[in-house]
Amino acid sequence: MSALEFARLQFGLTASLHFLFVMLTLGLVVMVAMMQTRYVRTGDPVYGRMTRFWGLLYAINYAVGIATGLVMEFQIGLNWSGLSRLTGDVFGAPLALETLIAFVLESTMLGMWIFGWGRLGKRLHLALIWGVAATALLSAFWVMVSNAFLQHPVGYVLDAGGTARLTDFGALLTNSALWFSLVHAVFAAMLTGGMFLAGVSAWHLRRKTVDEVFRRSLRLGLRVAVIGTFFTIGFGYAQFGPIGANQPTKLAGGEEALARQAEFAARFGPGDYLPSDAVGTALGLMINIANLLFLVLVVAWALTARDTIVRRRWARPMLWLLTAIIPVPFLAAIAGWIVREEGRQPWAVYGLLKTADAVSPMSAGTLRLSTIGFTALVAGLALVDWWLLARAARRGPGDEFLPVSPEAPRLAEAAA
């Protein structure tokens, strides 16, 4: 393998693994905020237990996911110096904003939320988790602004030295490659988080741990997952228009593909300007998974009426299925990532900078070693995350690492 191939393999593996953390984190935090809102409004201790249990799982995934994000930052600086030199002034600006939001605002508010149970007022404490959710969404927004520039470069001019300079920040925010893909990704995260909530709850209910925490969590998870799947599919199809206009080679097939290849070869010189067959395969896989998931989730949601899914023997296999398909949204997310990123090859910045010119001048041997090291590190973090999540999820609701609110006994007494 060449240095370019190792650099692409390395970033592809680590970025896709990091993306899985983001999907779960973004989906879970919104539902944790919803649970705590119900707790504050009703005083029902069940919602308090739900908030603390799922909040623990969210915090675990967030903490480990931050480490995988740092690995990606190192890789961009070390392996893709050509990309940074030519377009760093443009796509680096939204990335810098994302870093400030994720590592300063979001982390600070999450720390205050974790250690603020029983120490801060209810409404202030609730505001913190909604602040965490808002900054998580804002962080995703800035990442997608940066990525949209790579998909469809706008708002820049090339100076005398051939370096891209940002001239119109507003153009970055109105990029036609941004908004449909952003909403698609956010709802895919809602699907992932809802499926995780439903799958873990189903595991406990299947083991006859008929706890009200898991009854309500199952219903909430399925509701969010159904809504998430519906809009993920809708905004996925909505992207075909902008993709066809901005990246005519990505989904071209048959005679159109040959015409596009000839057109790009004439404009940019000899080379292969059509993405690999993996893009079409990944696209079909993603669409089929989403459609099947939607059907399964709608049926499961209907079975939660009158607790049919728990009370009726014939419906209980659905609990097993919900647990078994927890990984499926992650698989669909990886397929979507392949369509978006592999689909723009051979460009690092579509129509502006080829991937071969973006890679750092490093030997294949050096990149081989760093690929092994970085991939092992991120894979190790993913395994640690899975182990911690599985252990905490199996244990079920308890005191977690969060101190019990001094109001809990009074609320429990009032509810009784």
Side-chain angles (χ1 to χ4, degrees), residues 73 87-102 138-150 166 169 172-173 178:
E73 297 285 348
T87 61
D89 286 355
V90 183
F91 89 98
L95 276 185
L97 288 170
E98 187 277 333
T99 301
L100 287 173
I101 291 168
L138 193 57
S139 179
F141 168 74
W142 289 119
V143 168
M144 292 301 294
V145 168
S146 180
N147 183 267
F149 174 80
L150 303 182
L166 180 62
F169 194 71
L172 293 183
L173 304 184
L178 170 62

Side-chain angles (χ1 to χ4, degrees), residues 20-32:
L20 300 182
F21 287 90
V22 173
M23 296 292 287
L24 182 57
T25 296
L26 197 58
L28 269 182
V29 68
V30 174
M31 288 184 290
V32 170

Side-chain angles (χ1 to χ4, degrees), residues 50-401:
M50 290 170 62
T51 303
R52 294 154 71 85
F53 173 63
W54 296 109
L56 169 63
L57 299 182
Y58 162 72
I60 290 171
N61 194 71
Y62 177 87
V64 183
I66 284 289
T68 63
L70 291 173
V71 173
M72 289 181 59
E73 297 285 348
F74 279 116
Q75 285 186 18
I76 291 175
L78 293 173
N79 297 352
W80 301 100
S81 58
L83 175 65
S84 299
R85 276 198 305 271
L86 179 67
T87 61
D89 286 355
V90 183
F91 89 98
L95 276 185
L97 288 170
E98 187 277 333
T99 301
L100 287 173
I101 291 168
F103 286 95
V104 180
L105 274 178
E106 187 178 356
S107 298
T108 299
M109 286 192 290
L110 178 58
M112 293 173 67
W113 180 80
I114 289 173
F115 298 106
W117 281 92
R119 297 181 175 88
L120 299 175
K122 275 187 177 183
R123 296 189 181 279
L124 174 58
H125 195 246
L126 175 62
L128 285 172
I129 192 60
W130 276 112
V132 172
T135 50
L137 291 168
L138 193 57
S139 179
F141 168 74
W142 289 119
V143 168
M144 292 301 294
V145 168
S146 180
N147 183 267
F149 174 80
L150 303 182
Q151 306 289 336
H152 179 52
V154 294
Y156 75 97
V157 294
L158 295 177
D159 64 15
T163 300
R165 303 295 182 189
L166 180 62
T167 58
D168 187 354
F169 194 71
L172 293 183
L173 304 184
T174 56
N175 193 334
S176 57
L178 170 62
W179 286 100
F180 284 156
S181 59
L182 171 65
V183 179
H184 175 72
V186 168
F187 277 110
M190 296 300 107
L191 159 62
T192 305
M195 188 68 255
F196 180 79
L197 207 73
V200 172
S201 299
W203 184 83
H204 280 279
L205 292 171
R206 197 176 79 248
R207 298 176 72 244
K208 299 185 179 178
T209 312
V210 186
D211 189 309
E212 189 62 22
V213 165
F214 296 116
R215 287 178 185 270
R216 297 185 190 181
S217 295
L218 178 65
R219 288 194 291 267
L220 175 62
L222 287 173
R223 184 165 63 248
V224 170
V226 167
I227 295 171
T229 309
F230 178 82
F231 284 104
T232 298
I233 293 172
F235 282 98
Y237 282 118
Q239 292 181 72
F240 281 104
I243 288 174
N246 299 333
Q247 300 179 328
T249 57
K250 176 175 278 188
L251 301 178
E255 293 184 2
E256 182 190 1
L258 297 176
R260 294 299 186 187
Q261 168 63 28
E263 175 192 343
F264 273 58
R267 286 175 58 189
F268 302 108
D272 183 3
Y273 293 94
L274 299 178
S276 69
D277 294 338
V279 174
T281 302
L283 179 62
L285 179 65
M286 177 179 60
I287 291 173
N288 289 326
I289 286 176
N291 290 334
L292 288 172
L293 266 181
F294 185 68
L295 291 175
V296 171
L297 291 169
V298 167
V299 172
W301 188 16
L303 290 176
T304 60
R306 299 182 181 178
D307 280 340
T308 301
I309 199 170
V310 176
R311 296 178 183 275
R312 301 297 182 185
R313 184 184 297 272
W314 58 266
R316 289 182 67 83
M318 181 59 77
L319 294 174
W320 177 90
L321 180 60
L322 289 174
T323 303
I325 63 176
I326 288 176
V328 172
F330 294 100
L331 177 61
I334 290 296
W337 185 89
I338 290 173
V339 173
R340 187 167 178 85
E341 302 306 315
E342 176 66 21
R344 77 167 184 265
Q345 294 303 314
W347 302 101
V349 184
Y350 197 87
L352 179 61
L353 176 67
K354 290 185 177 180
T355 308
D357 299 323
V359 70
S360 299
M362 300 168 68
S363 69
T366 300
L367 280 165
R368 182 189 301 113
L369 290 175
S370 64
T371 297
I372 294 171
F374 277 129
T375 303
L377 175 60
V378 176
L381 289 170
L383 289 173
V384 168
D385 184 59
W386 175 83
W387 178 73
L388 291 172
L389 286 175
R391 188 179 68 165
R394 281 197 304 266
R395 188 173 60 232
D399 291 341
E400 284 40 277
F401 62 89

